[in-house]
Amino acid sequence: KAGVTQTPRYLIKTRGQQVTLSCSPISGHRSVSWYQQTPGQGLQFLFEYFSETQRNKGNFPGRFSGRQFSNSRSEMNVSTLELGDSALYLCASSLGGLGDGYTFGSGTRLTVV
Amino acid sequence: QKEVEQNSGPLSVPEGAIASLNCTYSDRGSQSFFWYRQYSGKSPELIMFIYSNGDKEDGRFTAQLNKASQYVSLLIRDSQPSDSATYLCAVGPNTDKLIFGTGTRLQVFP
């Protein structure tokens, strides 16, 4: 079956711009989580959506937002980009039950210049 | 104190040896524990999960959980050069908010 699809794979943006990243989970998975990965901080939890509702949120500023559609596809948006937002953004899908674990997409590499 | 702590390594082991990777966590309410492997330039992939105290074996991999001491470990038997990667420990109350450690880099040399 198809895996988790993230688009685009690479992005270069200028400070102050905004960006939207997309994630299509595995068919049947209703939970989508977003993580930011940087060499110094590792994987940092952004938020998790389940059935179009945000269930959990990490400690990121309000410039980071997301949403989930009825087909479980999810988008995350970062407004007013800063240099420190340069990172690999990973989306993970899950059935949401104990022990199900995540399946990660290939990620979107965002570079802010 | 970080919520999930791992030694960053690198942990270097010879081919055929046992690699032991450790992780401690701070939230006593944690219920689910996962190990992910991440090759350089790739996304993490799930290796194992465990949620009961004790050992869980899957092929060359064994996960060990001790909730009283708040640690979880991963043993890799008969280590191969292809096991060289960063191993991420993830902990959560359930699956909807996993907190990851920063990972331990494992190097298996021939």
Side-chain angles (χ1 to χ4, degrees):
Chain A
K1 58 182 176 182
V4 180
T5 303
Q6 287 189 251
T7 56
R9 290 295 307 276
Y10 303 93
L11 267 178
I12 300 176
K13 290 287 188 179
T14 304
R15 267 184 307 175
Q17 287 187 312
Q18 76 164 23
V19 66
T20 299
L21 312 181
S22 179
C23 172
S24 293
I26 290 173
S27 178
H29 285 194
R30 295 162 64 188
S31 170
V32 174
S33 299
W34 288 90
Y35 286 82
Q36 180 195 67
Q37 187 173 35
T38 57
Q41 297 296 317
L43 276 162
Q44 300 289 306
F45 176 75
L46 281 155
F47 27 67
E48 186 254 354
Y49 286 87
F50 184 87
S51 294
E52 301 179 65
T53 300
Q54 186 182 84
R55 280 201 304 195
N56 285 288
K57 189 176 188 304
N59 299 319
F60 278 79
R63 300 185 297 106
F64 292 81
S65 63
R67 59 179 175 169
Q68 187 180 34
F69 302 95
S70 58
N71 62 357
S72 293
R73 189 178 70 87
S74 178
E75 289 181 346
M76 68 163 280
N77 183 277
V78 188
S79 62
T80 320
L81 284 165
E82 300 176 359
L83 295 178
D85 297 332
S86 296
L88 178 66
Y89 289 88
L90 288 162
C91 157
S93 81
S94 167
L95 285 168
L98 184 67
D100 286 331
Y102 291 163
T103 301
F104 283 89
S106 299
T108 294
R109 172 76 61 186
L110 172 65
T111 302
V112 182
V113 298
Chain B
Q1 180 191 10
K2 289 185 178 179
E3 293 178 83
V4 179
E5 295 207 51
Q6 295 181 256
N7 188 314
S8 61
L11 172 65
S12 293
V13 300
E15 184 174 357
I18 295 175
S20 178
L21 305 161
N22 299 310
C23 170
T24 58
Y25 60 94
S26 60
D27 184 357
R28 283 195 172 274
S30 298
Q31 296 292 324
S32 56
F33 308 87
F34 299 84
W35 283 99
Y36 286 80
R37 176 177 62 200
Q38 186 173 26
Y39 292 112
S40 180
K42 301 292 186 182
S43 56
E45 57 178 326
L46 179 64
I47 299 175
M48 293 193 69
F49 75 89
I50 186 169
Y51 55 84
S52 298
N53 275 328
D55 296 0
K56 180 181 179 182
E57 188 174 315
D58 184 1
R60 295 187 297 113
F61 299 97
T62 299
Q64 299 175 318
L65 174 62
N66 185 321
K67 288 186 178 180
S69 300
Q70 294 175 249
Y71 84 77
V72 57
S73 62
L74 179 71
L75 301 178
I76 306 174
R77 290 181 299 282
D78 188 25
S79 296
Q80 301 297 310
S82 58
D83 294 326
S84 298
T86 296
Y87 289 79
L88 302 167
C89 170
V91 176
N94 44 47
T95 321
D96 60 4
K97 184 184 177 183
L98 290 183
I99 305 300
F100 284 78
T102 52
T104 298
R105 189 157 63 95
L106 172 66
Q107 294 178 336
V108 181
F109 56 91

Short mmCIF file of all heavy atoms in Angstrom, two decimals, chain B residues 18 32 37 48 62 67 70 79 81-82 85 91 95-97 103-104 109:
data_model
loop_
_atom_site.label_atom_id
_atom_site.label_comp_id
_atom_site.label_asym_id
_atom_site.label_seq_id
_atom_site.Cartn_x
_atom_site.Cartn_y
_atom_site.Cartn_z
N ILE B 18 27.07 -7.43 20.33
CA ILE B 18 25.76 -6.93 20.77
C ILE B 18 25.87 -5.42 21.00
O ILE B 18 26.75 -4.96 21.72
CB ILE B 18 25.30 -7.62 22.07
CG1 ILE B 18 25.08 -9.11 21.84
CG2 ILE B 18 24.03 -6.97 22.60
CD1 ILE B 18 24.74 -9.88 23.10
N SER B 32 3.47 4.01 26.17
CA SER B 32 3.94 3.39 24.93
C SER B 32 5.38 3.82 24.66
O SER B 32 5.74 4.97 24.90
CB SER B 32 3.03 3.77 23.76
OG SER B 32 2.95 5.17 23.63
N ARG B 37 14.66 3.68 13.79
CA ARG B 37 15.99 3.74 13.18
C ARG B 37 15.95 4.79 12.08
O ARG B 37 15.01 4.83 11.30
CB ARG B 37 16.37 2.38 12.60
CG ARG B 37 17.69 2.32 11.86
CD ARG B 37 17.99 0.91 11.41
NE ARG B 37 16.98 0.42 10.48
CZ ARG B 37 16.78 -0.87 10.22
NH1 ARG B 37 17.50 -1.80 10.82
NH2 ARG B 37 15.85 -1.22 9.36
N MET B 48 10.61 -1.31 16.68
CA MET B 48 9.90 -2.08 17.69
C MET B 48 9.08 -1.16 18.58
O MET B 48 9.40 0.01 18.72
CB MET B 48 10.88 -2.84 18.59
CG MET B 48 11.65 -3.93 17.92
SD MET B 48 12.46 -4.99 19.13
CE MET B 48 11.06 -5.81 19.87
N THR B 62 15.92 -6.85 20.59
CA THR B 62 15.20 -7.04 21.84
C THR B 62 14.99 -5.69 22.50
O THR B 62 15.96 -4.96 22.72
CB THR B 62 15.96 -7.97 22.81
OG1 THR B 62 16.13 -9.25 22.21
CG2 THR B 62 15.20 -8.13 24.12
N LYS B 67 9.55 0.13 33.86
CA LYS B 67 8.79 1.34 34.18
C LYS B 67 9.16 1.90 35.55
O LYS B 67 9.13 3.10 35.77
CB LYS B 67 7.29 1.05 34.12
CG LYS B 67 6.77 0.86 32.71
CD LYS B 67 5.25 0.73 32.70
CE LYS B 67 4.71 0.58 31.30
NZ LYS B 67 3.23 0.46 31.27
N GLN B 70 12.13 3.74 34.90
CA GLN B 70 11.88 4.69 33.79
C GLN B 70 12.98 4.62 32.74
O GLN B 70 13.54 5.64 32.33
CB GLN B 70 11.71 6.12 34.34
CG GLN B 70 10.44 6.24 35.18
CD GLN B 70 10.30 7.61 35.82
OE1 GLN B 70 10.42 7.76 37.05
NE2 GLN B 70 10.05 8.61 35.00
N SER B 79 25.42 -7.63 15.48
CA SER B 79 25.37 -6.34 14.78
C SER B 79 26.05 -6.42 13.42
O SER B 79 27.10 -7.05 13.26
CB SER B 79 26.06 -5.26 15.63
OG SER B 79 25.36 -5.05 16.82
N PRO B 81 27.19 -4.08 9.76
CA PRO B 81 27.46 -2.71 9.30
C PRO B 81 26.21 -1.99 8.83
O PRO B 81 26.09 -0.77 8.98
CB PRO B 81 28.47 -2.91 8.17
CG PRO B 81 29.20 -4.16 8.55
CD PRO B 81 28.15 -5.04 9.19
N SER B 82 25.24 -2.75 8.30
CA SER B 82 23.99 -2.13 7.83
C SER B 82 23.13 -1.61 8.99
O SER B 82 22.15 -0.90 8.76
CB SER B 82 23.17 -3.12 7.00
OG SER B 82 22.90 -4.28 7.77
N ALA B 85 23.39 3.51 12.07
CA ALA B 85 22.31 4.48 11.90
C ALA B 85 22.13 5.21 13.23
O ALA B 85 22.81 4.91 14.21
CB ALA B 85 21.01 3.79 11.50
N VAL B 91 8.59 8.08 23.36
CA VAL B 91 7.77 7.73 24.53
C VAL B 91 6.51 8.56 24.50
O VAL B 91 6.53 9.75 24.13
CB VAL B 91 8.57 8.02 25.82
CG1 VAL B 91 7.73 7.76 27.05
CG2 VAL B 91 9.84 7.19 25.86
N THR B 95 -0.32 6.93 21.54
CA THR B 95 0.37 7.15 20.27
C THR B 95 0.16 8.55 19.71
O THR B 95 0.75 8.89 18.71
CB THR B 95 -0.10 6.12 19.24
OG1 THR B 95 -0.27 4.88 19.87
CG2 THR B 95 0.91 5.95 18.13
N ASP B 96 -0.69 9.35 20.37
CA ASP B 96 -1.01 10.60 19.70
C ASP B 96 -0.09 11.76 20.04
O ASP B 96 -0.28 12.84 19.56
CB ASP B 96 -2.47 10.99 19.94
CG ASP B 96 -2.78 11.16 21.42
OD1 ASP B 96 -1.86 11.07 22.25
OD2 ASP B 96 -3.96 11.40 21.73
N LYS B 97 0.89 11.54 20.89
CA LYS B 97 1.88 12.58 21.13
C LYS B 97 3.15 11.91 21.60
O LYS B 97 3.38 11.78 22.82
CB LYS B 97 1.41 13.59 22.17
CG LYS B 97 2.40 14.74 22.37
CD LYS B 97 1.96 15.68 23.47
CE LYS B 97 3.00 16.76 23.69
NZ LYS B 97 2.63 17.65 24.80
N GLY B 103 18.41 10.80 19.97
CA GLY B 103 18.99 9.70 19.22
C GLY B 103 20.40 9.34 19.61
O GLY B 103 21.17 10.18 20.10
N THR B 104 20.72 8.07 19.42
CA THR B 104 22.09 7.55 19.62
C THR B 104 22.61 7.07 18.27
O THR B 104 21.96 6.27 17.61
CB THR B 104 22.11 6.39 20.61
OG1 THR B 104 21.66 6.83 21.88
CG2 THR B 104 23.53 5.82 20.73
N PHE B 109 31.52 -1.54 12.94
CA PHE B 109 32.68 -1.62 12.06
C PHE B 109 33.03 -3.08 11.78
O PHE B 109 32.91 -3.94 12.64
CB PHE B 109 33.87 -0.84 12.64
CG PHE B 109 34.28 -1.24 14.02
CD1 PHE B 109 35.24 -2.23 14.21
CD2 PHE B 109 33.72 -0.64 15.15
CE1 PHE B 109 35.64 -2.61 15.48
CE2 PHE B 109 34.10 -1.00 16.43
CZ PHE B 109 35.06 -1.98 16.59
#
